[in-house]
Amino acid sequence: MVNCLTKCYDIKTSFRKIGFFDDSIFMYFEDSDLSLRTRLAGRGVALVTSAGYEHIGEGSTSPAFDNRLEKSRLWGQACAYFAIKHSSLPEGRTAKRKIRSYRRKSIINLFALNFDRASYYRNRVRGWSEVVRHGPSVMFKNAFVGD
């Protein structure tokens, strides 16, 4: 019982120090952001391979959110926000490189006449551009946000 209380206090203290999830992130990269801020605060982040989980798909969005291209655009927006927020860190620069690679993949797939794949990558780049131009508030301006 004492170990459990100590751990709960430790977790609460850690969250006070690093903050909870970033409210500017609608979807995607929220776990990466929290993990990075935890490590930057000197706390450990561990991968427990024996743990199980159940992913409840589409729990953050309305049931109508089945648009793959819209999800791709939202991913691009979150990636841009993460890269800008952590631009001085390797993780931020890696996120920025991902978008550059998606820009290339979009062009390659367009020339290969793989229009579905090209649109998917182009929407990631489009989401990135929206955040760079208008700021993170655009992440919440979509027709698919659940109540």
Side-chain angles (χ1 to χ4, degrees):
M1 179 68 168
V2 173
N3 284 342
C4 178
L5 289 175
T6 303
K7 195 46 131 175
C8 289
Y9 176 78
D10 189 39
I11 291 169
K12 186 176 178 181
T13 304
S14 294
F15 272 119
R16 281 194 179 135
K17 184 176 181 181
I18 63 170
F20 289 93
F21 288 104
D22 185 334
D23 289 338
S24 294
I25 300 174
F26 165 62
M27 192 164 66
Y28 305 116
F29 281 85
E30 66 276 11
D31 52 343
S32 300
D33 178 65
L34 184 62
S35 296
L36 179 57
R37 288 185 290 121
T38 301
R39 285 188 324 207
L40 291 173
R43 307 297 297 173
V45 176
L47 173 64
V48 181
T49 58
S50 61
Y53 70 92
E54 178 182 357
H55 181 263
I56 301 173
E58 300 168 0
S60 300
T61 59
S62 68
F65 192 86
D66 62 354
N67 188 323
R68 185 168 107 25
L69 294 178
E70 179 68 1
K71 285 182 179 181
S72 178
R73 186 179 69 84
L74 292 173
W75 185 94
Q77 290 177 343
C79 184
Y81 178 75
F82 181 87
I84 292 166
K85 180 177 179 180
H86 302 294
S87 61
S88 64
L89 300 170
E91 292 85 347
R93 292 189 290 276
T94 298
K96 191 172 184 175
R97 278 194 303 275
K98 278 185 183 186
I99 288 297
R100 278 194 228 120
S101 77
Y102 290 136
R103 190 174 286 128
R104 284 190 301 273
K105 287 178 182 182
S106 170
I107 294 166
I108 290 166
N109 280 282
L110 193 60
F111 284 117
L113 303 178
N114 189 347
F115 300 116
D116 261 6
R117 210 70 195 143
S119 294
Y120 177 78
Y121 291 126
R122 192 170 49 247
N123 267 23
R124 286 194 167 187
V125 175
R126 188 175 129 221
W128 174 282
S129 299
E130 290 169 352
V131 169
V132 169
R133 267 183 269 151
H134 306 292
S137 63
V138 298
M139 286 192 270
F140 293 92
K141 294 177 182 168
N142 65 73
F144 303 105
V145 177
D147 293 332

